[in-house]
Amino acid sequence: MNVLGIETSCDETGVAIYSAERGLIAHALHSQVDLHAVYGGVVPEIASRDHIRMLLPLIQQVLGEAGIERPDAIAYTAGPGLIGALMVGGGMANGLALAWDCPVVAVHHMEGHLLAPMLEDEPPRFPFLALLVSGGHTMLIAVHALGDYRLLGTTLDDAVGEAFDKTAKLLGLGYPGGPALAALAEQGDDQAFAFPRPMLKKPGFDFSFSGLKTAVMLEVRRAEAAGTLCRADIAASFQRAAVDTLVARAIKAATSEGLDRIVVAGGVGANKLLRKDIAARFNGTVYYPRMEFCTDNGAMIAVAGALRLSEAGRADEIKVQARWSLASLDVPALAR
Ligand code: KG4
Ligand code: ZN
């Protein structure tokens, strides 16, 4: 069974074909970064219009690469995300499903991130702890089966990707800031500043990044006034504090849940220091998607759709949702 995956929740148009028998057989991604960079962030209307422009050509491209005329099913990101952008993918998926008379599955974007490591040669087995870290989310989830997601902790303010992006902006690194900040951090001293490790002394598994953001801002202002600003040291010390917080919280959650596997996924999962540190400090196995499938892509939606279809049979609802709790998802009927 070949599943066409469509991702249009934000600023990447991602399309892929995942075969239940052969794995991922084609994928394509168009990034809108250049279009939004001049505005310093994503402009929703520009995002929607560019998805309209790129989606069909990308679908034709992956079908051609896969050597098939039509898929057996279609999976699309139904939320959370920008509503106009979601509607482009949702409309296209449901229109094509009607034309091709095939099933269509509405996929939760964060479930796509969470299942992205299933694309790899050695996928994680259930149960595992998922550390989902993106531009909009920071979540620790106990995953016991497909659709069985218990939220253990989340951020009380900014998402960690947002903290990377805002800190990058403060340092004049532009949008999207996470990868640029991580690159600059490699040239800096991560011990230069003792930025706070937020929430580490508090019980539970929630996160907070606003205190760290403020500490960085105050230090940048102080150093600018004194004429001693070293942006690389600030970037390295910020990254160190953010990664320490994520790693310590994730390991504590895994240990308290008795889980010996951790999945790290979402855009910030591309951060090299995070990947290295969590593997070094966790007394268990850590799984990640390959770098290109950490950030938004169609392959993760295709594999999530394939797994949902194989467990639950035909899905026939049409929906898009701008806000959507991951914990509200059902376990597919056959997996219960
Ligand atoms: O998952 P994603 O592509 O989109 C959302 O669903 O939000 O994540 C994007 C986020 C952005 O905040 C971006 O700055 C961050 O992931 N990011 C990184 C890195 N690569 C992407 N943050 C830190 N280090 C990176 N290498
Ligand atoms: Zn994402």
Side-chain angles (χ1 to χ4, degrees), residues 22-72:
R22 293 161 54 205
L24 185 67
I25 48 179
H27 67 100
L29 187 77
H30 166 71
S31 170
Q32 303 179 351
V33 161
D34 293 347
L35 289 179
H36 300 292
V38 284
Y39 302 101
V42 179
V43 181
E45 184 59 24
I46 293 177
S48 309
R49 287 170 188 235
D50 200 56
H51 287 309
I52 292 174
R53 189 172 70 86
M54 292 307 298
L55 188 52
L56 202 50
L58 288 181
I59 291 172
Q60 285 165 331
Q61 181 185 326
V62 294
L63 288 173
E65 283 169 18
I68 56 175
E69 265 178 34
R70 58 176 68 180
D72 303 302

